[in-house]
Amino acid sequence: MTEIIQRYGPDLLTGFGYTILSWALGTLLGLVLGFMIEIARRFGPAFLRYPIRAYVEFVRGTPFLVQLFVLYYGGPLIGLRLDALPAGILGLTIYGSAYFTEILRAGFDAVPVGQVEAARAIGFRNTTIITRIMVPVMMVSALPALVNFAIILTKETVILSMITVPEIMFQTQTMMSETFAFVAPILILALFFWGFVELISRFGRRLERRFTHYLLDRS
Amino acid sequence: MTSQTAASAHLRNVNKFYGPFQALKDVSLDIPPGKVTCLIGPSGSGKSTLLRCINVLELYDSGEVRIDDQLIGYDSPGGKVMAANRLREMRREIGMVFQQFNLWPHMTALQNVAEGLERVRGLKRPEAQARAREALAKVGLADKEDNHPSHLSGGQQQRVAIARAIAMEPRIMLFDEPTSALDPELVGEVLGVMKQLAAEGMTMVVVTHEMGFAAHVADRVVFMERGEIVATGSPRDVFNNPTDPRLASFLQGYRERNSLDF
Ligand SMILES: Nc1ncnc2c1ncn2[C@@H]1O[C@H](COP(=O)(O)OP(=O)(O)O)[C@@H](O)[C@H]1O
Ligand SMILES: [Mg+2]
C-alpha cells in the first residue's frame, strides 16, 4: 500500500487538484449562469421564457455524461473545439446552471411580495431590490438546496474522467489498470470525497448561519 | 422632519381593471394638502387599489393621477407608461405604510430605515444612520435600533415601517390598514404616531377600519363601495348624518359588529 502511494502519490495529488478545480469553477460559474438565467426569466422580456424553459428541461432531462460527450465530441462539428478540462468545466457549468436556476426560482418565489413592494414604494431600482432585498431574503430558504446541489456536483466531476480530464477518478482508474490493485484506489477515492463533501457542508452551514443569524434569538 | 411642503393628490376618472373585473370605476377624488383623508368601505370595495394607484404600485388603466399638478404613471394623459427612473423619482415624494409592515427581515430597525436614505437618496452611511435614528426616535423606538423585525412586537414593527417612510421626507403618506394586523392592545401606539404626523401637517391618505380614528383624526372621510366613491364628507357628515343608504347600512353593520358608538 505504502509503495503504491509513493509511486502514485504525485498523480493522486494532481487528480485531487483537477477535481477540486473543476468542481469549484463549474459550481461557481454554474451558479452565476443559473442566477443570470433566473433574472432573465423573471425580469427579462417575455420571449425569453420559452427558450429558457426548453434549456432547463433539456439539461435536466439528459444524463450529464451525454451532455459532456455532445460538448466534447460534438462541439468540434460546430467549431467549438475545447480541451478536455475547459470542456469539462463548461459541461459542469451548464449542467449546474439548470438546477441552480430552478432552486433560485423557488427562492425568488418565496420572497414575500410585500417586502419587494415596500422597496419599490420607496423608490429603489430593480438591481438594488434584487441584491439588497430579494437575494438575502431568499437565501434563508434557498441556501440549503444550493449547498446540497453543490455537493451533488462534487460527485458528478468523476464523469469528467470519461473525456480524459486527469481528475481523481481518472488517476485511480489508471492506477487500478496498472497495478491491478483495487482496494487501495477505491479507498483513496472514497476518503477523498468524504473529506471534500464534509468540508463543503461545513462551509455551507457557516454560510447558512450568516444568512439566518437574524432568525436566531440574540436580542 | 416634514420640512418640505405637503403635497396634494388628484384622481380624475380613474379606472382600474384586473382582467375583466373592474376594481375602480371612474374614480375622481381630490386629496387636499396637509389634511387626513380616510378611506372606508367594505372589504373588496377597491380602497387598497385606489391607494396603490396613487404611487402606481398598481398602474391604473385610464384617467389621471397627479401629485400636486404632476401626472404619475403615464407621460401624458392617455400617453405612454412613465419611464422607470421618472416613476422612482416621483415615488420618493410618496411614503407608504402597509398592513403587513413589510419590513426587511434581514436588516435591523436602523438598517431598515437607513437603507432608502443610502440607496435612494444617496446619503453617506453615517449621515443616513443619523437621520434614521432621528426617525426612529420620533416613533419612540430609539432604543430598538439594533433589533431585527423578528424581535419587535407588531406595533413596534409598524412604527419602524412608519419611520422608514418618513425618513425619506415624503410630501404625502399612504397608509393601507396600518393597524389591521395588530393585536388590539398595540393599535393605540401606531395610531398615536399617525396622529402626531397629522398634527405636523403631513398629507395622509388612510385606508382604515378604525372608525374611531377616522371620526377623530380625519379631515375628510371617503366611503367606497364596489369600486366607486359613494360618499365623501367631514367625519361629522359621514358618521352622524349618512345620507347615502349604502353608507348608512355599512355603518350600521360596523356598529353592530363592534357594539359601540362614535
Ligand atoms: N391583483 C389582483 N388581481 C385580481 N383582482 C384583484 C387584485 N387586487 C385586487 N383585486 C380585486 O379588486 C377588488 C378590490 O380590491 P382591494 O382594492 O384590495 O379592496 P379593499 O382594499 O377595499 O378590500 C377586490 O374584489 C379584489 O378581489
Ligand atoms: Mg385592502
Side-chain angles (χ1 to χ4, degrees), chain A:
Chain A
M1 175 113 183
T2 45
E3 190 186 316
I4 289 179
I5 287 175
Q6 261 168 13
R7 196 165 129 211
Y8 286 95
D11 289 352
L12 289 172
L13 282 180
T14 306
F16 295 154
Y18 276 105
T19 296
I20 292 169
L21 177 75
S22 36
W23 171 79
L25 282 177
T27 303
L28 195 70
L29 297 174
L31 195 55
V32 170
L33 181 60
F35 185 77
M36 292 191 325
I37 291 172
E38 178 51 24
I39 294 295
R41 168 158 63 188
R42 197 164 281 270
F43 301 98
F47 69 82
L48 285 177
R49 275 175 217 150
Y50 188 76
I52 287 173
R53 212 174 86 194
Y55 171 85
V56 170
E57 291 311 312
F58 173 77
V59 174
R60 294 201 307 172
T62 50
F64 178 50
L65 179 61
V66 172
Q67 293 164 22
L68 210 53
F69 276 10
V70 167
L71 195 66
Y72 189 62
Y73 298 111
L77 301 178
I78 57 159
L80 183 71
R81 207 171 295 276
L82 290 174
D83 287 342
L85 181 64
I89 290 170
L90 181 60
L92 281 171
T93 300
I94 291 170
Y95 182 72
S97 71
Y99 289 88
F100 284 133
T101 206
E102 287 298 299
I103 295 170
L104 292 172
R105 168 157 77 159
F108 272 111
D109 283 346
V111 176
V113 175
Q115 290 171 21
V116 175
E117 284 185 339
R120 284 170 62 206
I122 285 175
F124 285 82
R125 54 181 71 240
N126 273 346
T127 47
T128 313
I129 294 176
I130 293 166
T131 56
R132 299 289 300 173
I133 312 290
M134 297 185 91
V135 169
V137 169
M138 78 180 193
M139 276 307 161
V140 175
S141 59
L143 201 57
L146 292 173
V147 171
N148 189 46
F149 195 73
I151 287 172
I152 290 174
L153 277 181
T154 61
K155 284 161 287 184
E156 297 290 359
T157 57
V158 300
I159 292 175
L160 303 196
S161 64
M162 305 291 284
I163 60 165
T164 73
V165 176
E167 46 69 74
I168 189 63
M169 187 70 200
F170 186 86
Q171 304 292 355
T172 42
Q173 272 174 335
T174 311
M175 198 170 146
M176 282 193 244
S177 59
E178 284 174 10
T179 62
F180 302 103
F182 182 71
V183 176
I186 289 294
L187 205 64
I188 288 165
L189 199 67
L191 282 174
F192 168 72
F193 275 104
W194 179 59
F196 190 25
V197 166
E198 181 60 28
L199 223 63
I200 295 167
S201 48
R202 273 190 200 187
F203 177 69
R205 277 198 293 275
R206 185 178 294 185
L207 268 185
E208 275 173 46
R209 270 200 298 279
R210 235 187 98 165
F211 279 103
T212 57
H213 68 97
Y214 58 87
L215 298 174
L216 309 173
D217 207 3
R218 31 154 241 153
S219 62

Side-chain angles (χ1 to χ4, degrees), chain A residues 114-115 117-125 128 132-133 136-137 213-214 216-219, chain B residues 52 55 57 88 91 94 98 102-107 115-116 119-120 148 150-151 164 168:
Chain A
Q115 290 171 21
E117 284 185 339
R120 284 170 62 206
I122 285 175
F124 285 82
R125 54 181 71 240
T128 313
R132 299 289 300 173
I133 312 290
V137 169
H213 68 97
Y214 58 87
L216 309 173
D217 207 3
R218 31 154 241 153
S219 62
Chain B
R52 293 158 62 86
N55 66 352
L57 280 184
R88 282 201 303 274
R91 279 185 176 147
I94 310 169
F98 302 83
N102 294 339
L103 294 178
W104 302 309
H106 55 299
M107 297 184 189
E115 187 70 9
R119 305 275 159 177
V120 177
H148 284 85
S150 52
H151 295 115
R164 176 173 71 176
M168 300 295 291

